Structure formats: structure tokens, C-alpha cells
Amino acid sequence: MNLTDLAKQMAFIHEIDKLKYIQRKTRLFNSMRHENDAEHSWHLAMMALVLAEHANEKVDIMKVVKMLLIHDIVEIDSGDIFLYDSQANHDNTVEEQRAAVRIFGLLPDHQAEEFISLWEEFEAGITAESKFAKSIDRLEPVLQNVSNEGGTWMEYEVKYDTVIQKTSKMKEGSEVLWDHTTNLFEESIAKGILKKN
């Protein structure tokens, strides 16, 4: 056993515990409690395992799960950006890239390279795995907002057009999940918990 590698792995494990303290704007299902990034990542990984059959293309589900478990680790340094934020850009930033190099760089080189590569693949959203992972990442907040009678849509006065703009790429990873989501949008509009512009 390489004790230097083990020490690096332990340092990484300690560092990523900080993900539990990164609060998101969204709330747990049927709850007033805000979700943290670690809970979010775990839930997405489980959703991917359960919903894998609905991906548009056959995907390596282990790769998808890895992406979902690591995709927000950079937020330890950069913080969470609210999906519907009208000021901050939710796309990859220089700050997030720096965070990826620093945090994944705590690991032994071979693991650091793998995790940075997976994170970059997720951010690019080009492969079948990253498209499906991004679909799952967009689905969870919709489910949370529906379960919380509009949740952040109502709290931050997020309109239908903005929600569609931020979620429509979901269909690139799963037409089935997108169709389900559009049905949820229609039900939410009928209930008055998602407002048309």
C-alpha cells in the first residue's frame, strides 16, 4: 500500500466534508429545510440509478453516478449559484475550474486526473453520460418545487419562461423525463404555483 496516496485520499475525504455545509436555495421535498450540496449530489446519484432506463442513449451508469457525486464539489470554494439567478451565470467559471484543480488535486495524480476529467465532461454536456447527468440535475429542483407548492419559483418570483429556459436541455439526455417534466409544469401552472409571464 502506498501510504502517501492514502494520506492524500484522506485529505480529500476530509476536504469534501465541507460540501455538507454548502446550502442550496431549494428545499427538501415537502419541507422548509434547505438542501445542502452533499444531499443534492447523493439524491441525484440515486435518481440516476433508478431512472437510467429513460436515458435517450445507452449510458455507462457508473460514469453518470460518478459525475453526479463530484459535479458540485467545486462549490466548496465557489459557493452555490442559484439556478434561476438573474445576475450570476450558472455555467462553468474560472473560479470553478480553479476549485476543481485545488480540490481534486488533493488526490493522488491518477485519481485527480480522472475526477477533473469527469467534472469537465459533465460541464461540457456533450457525451451521452453528461447529457443524462445534466437531465437528472435539472429534474430534481423541479420535483422539489412541485412538492413545495412552488418552492423557489414562488419565493423568487421565477416565471415559466425562465424555468423552461433553464430546464429544456433536459430533453437532450432524456425525452421521457422531459415529457414528464412538461406535464408537471402544466399541472403547476393550473395550480397557480408556476406563473406564466
Side-chain angles (χ1 to χ4, degrees):
M1 178 189 347
N2 184 333
L3 293 179
T4 303
D5 282 359
L6 179 59
K8 289 179 178 180
Q9 290 162 336
M10 288 298 173
F12 176 77
I13 287 166
H14 280 269
E15 184 66 13
I16 64 170
D17 189 66
K18 294 175 182 174
L19 203 61
K20 298 171 187 174
Y21 296 96
I22 307 298
Q23 294 297 303
R24 296 170 53 81
K25 295 278 193 256
T26 48
R27 294 186 174 91
L28 303 178
F29 286 19
N30 303 308
S31 175
M32 291 302 292
R33 184 168 80 74
H34 288 269
E35 174 184 52
N36 67 50
D37 266 354
E39 292 168 326
H40 169 67
S41 298
W42 166 82
H43 203 191
L44 297 184
M46 287 301 301
M47 288 170 63
L49 287 173
V50 171
L51 300 171
E53 67 188 271
H54 304 298
N56 287 345
E57 303 173 58
K58 185 164 176 52
V59 294
D60 176 347
I61 195 59
M62 179 55 89
K63 189 175 190 184
V64 172
V65 167
K66 284 181 181 181
M67 282 181 187
L68 291 170
L69 288 173
I70 70 170
H71 80 289
D72 276 345
I73 285 177
V74 296
E75 293 183 1
I76 289 170
D77 288 359
S78 66
D80 179 58
I81 297 176
F82 182 42
L83 178 61
Y84 303 113
D85 194 312
S86 58
Q87 306 299 317
N89 187 348
H90 198 269
D91 295 331
N92 185 13
T93 65
V94 173
E95 189 176 306
E96 288 179 332
Q97 184 69 47
R98 242 186 266 122
V101 170
R102 183 192 76 76
I103 298 166
F104 298 131
L106 296 171
L107 287 163
D109 289 346
H110 69 283
Q111 287 181 313
E113 288 167 15
E114 178 193 5
F115 284 23
I116 289 170
S117 176
L118 284 167
W119 179 78
E120 288 173 342
E121 183 177 339
F122 174 85
E123 290 295 321
I126 295 168
T127 62
E129 286 78 13
S130 62
K131 287 177 185 176
F132 184 60
K134 282 184 170 284
S135 295
I136 296 294
D137 190 33
R138 290 296 184 258
L139 175 59
E140 190 210 29
V142 171
L143 299 177
Q144 290 167 320
N145 284 328
V146 169
S147 80
N148 287 311
E149 298 302 314
T152 56
W153 297 335
M154 296 290 283
E155 183 179 354
Y156 297 98
E157 299 179 0
V158 180
K159 303 291 189 222
Y160 172 80
D161 288 348
T162 302
V163 173
I164 292 294
Q165 177 199 356
K166 296 291 187 174
T167 58
S168 62
K169 286 192 82 147
M170 188 187 296
K171 60 187 161 202
E172 294 180 13
S174 176
E175 291 280 354
V176 171
L177 296 180
W178 176 244
D179 289 346
H180 177 73
T181 301
T182 56
N183 289 337
L184 292 175
F185 291 153
E186 291 306 315
E187 291 170 14
S188 297
I189 290 164
K191 286 175 156 180
I193 62 172
L194 179 58
K195 307 289 186 189
K196 284 231 175 184
N197 290 353

